[in-house]
Amino acid sequence: MKLLVDRDRCDSHGNCVLEAPDVFDLDDEDTVYVIEGVRFEDHTEEIERAVAVCPVAALRLQT
Amino acid sequence: MSPSADHATVDVLSPEVYQYGDPTTNGLPIDLYARLREHEPCYRHTMDDPAMRDSVWVVSRHEDIVRIDRDDETFVSSKGLNIQKFHATGGSMIHLDGPDHRRHRGVVRTAFTPRAVEAYTDGFRSLARRIVAEAVQRETFDFVESIAIPMPLNAICNLLDVPDEDRRQLLAWINAFAVVTDPEMSPSPSAAAEGALKTGQYALQLVEQRRRRPKRDLLALIVEALDLGTLTTEELASLGVLLAGAGADTTRNTLSHAIHELMRNPEQMAWIRRHADDIPREAIQEILRWGCPVIHFGRTVVKDTVVAGQEVCAGDFVAMIFPSGNYDPKVFDHPETFDLTRAHNPHVSFGVGPHSCLGKHLAALEIKILLEELLAATTEIQQVAPIAYARDSRLRGVRSLPVTVARG
């Protein structure tokens, strides 16, 4: 499973930050990024929730 | 169910359906919603009223609401959002699509991210404390008038640096345009138009005042957008109408529906009292599901497509019934139960697509802090007269909710 982050689509909704605070954050421009050094396998449920709630499909999972 | 035979009895869009809603079912026609979801998840509703569209598709299932709200290439916002023809917020971001929508949202979005909103916590806490203290010293009061209205009104006014003495006037303008179908809130269509116009003019006036005393905040972002040409003067006025209306006229209703349900439900009231030091996020999300402040928003179809098995054509209008989505048993276990510990709760109260509520994190914080302060200042809250609902099928308004409290 691969996590795809399309920063161009991000519109700063911030839902992912609330669903998976250990994985996602917004940068100085309020655009989503993945926190460095995160082990995805430790956070699969949160990541799935974050992907599901993104209103603009900036986050996607590729299986 | 045969479409022709039952249409006369299935009406989830008339203002009276909500005005005379049953308080024991959250004021909502939940049986009708269930029938629609099961038998006619996309049904044609016709109206014979010059103030309304002639016919709309009513969409009631969670999955279809999510799909329509997310697919802004097939379902657009720029041709109106409601079954009512009047639009106070025309020209603002909620009436725009694609790049125009992002340009408008981009001006203010930085003031509404989770981190930005967290910074408002202390200010909201002192605001809530003051509002609650004033109300509870009277012991018996109207929750809507004394608490639900002042909290979000002052919260958004603080963010926009609106002087205290102007806030009551601003509220009267907002009421006039926000609930146009309720004569108690909006005396006439011309009052609605005037309310929107005055609010827009007031926004421009705020910008001019601000130029004389600069400061870094939400209003500064708006002034900057005007100076850089990102927004025109007209667009700024409509942004002002949107922020004022959405800030003041939605959270007040969610708060009122929430406290009403808590008073009806001693078990849940006891639970939230035990957690009043720091109300968990799940509980706030359940309050948002239950107190969903918008009954419907709609989109215009621009490419022929199929919704829930029904063909819909370019030019048709589809109305998403958000509270029906929040009661969809395919998504929510026992949706008719108000459960502050509900774990899986993908409610649609804020919308779920590109237009998802700009102030969603702000609203959640206002509700959390207000309830925490109210619970801390009281040992008991009881209803002393029936809840009165607004005559509207767009916003789920509460006119009054008389309560009495025992002070803590």
Side-chain angles (χ1 to χ4, degrees), chain A residues 10-13 25 30, chain B residues 102 105 109-110 115 360-361:
Chain A
C10 178
D11 214 2
S12 316
H13 284 264
D25 202 351
D30 293 315
Chain B
R102 284 195 80 182
R105 193 168 175 124
R109 65 180 196 182
T110 193
R115 184 168 298 142
K360 55 193 157 188
H361 309 307

Side-chain angles (χ1 to χ4, degrees), chain B residues 292-351:
Chain B
C292 176
V294 177
I295 295 165
H296 86 274
F297 269 139
R299 303 283 188 256
T300 299
V301 179
V302 289
K303 283 184 262 187
D304 294 0
T305 185
V306 175
V307 174
Q310 172 67 52
E311 281 181 37
V312 296
C313 300
D316 288 358
F317 186 84
V318 291
M320 300 173 279
I321 310 292
F322 295 117
S324 175
N326 284 349
Y327 274 80
D328 192 333
K330 275 193 191 150
V331 178
F332 303 94
D333 291 332
H334 303 290
E336 70 292 344
T337 304
F338 179 65
D339 176 5
L340 294 168
T341 65
R342 185 180 293 279
H344 180 64
N345 192 352
H347 66 75
V348 292
S349 298
F350 290 131

Side-chain angles (χ1 to χ4, degrees), chain B residues 89-101:
Chain B
T89 51
S92 72
M93 69 181 89
I94 62 172
H95 289 268
L96 298 173
D97 296 305
D100 281 337
H101 169 251

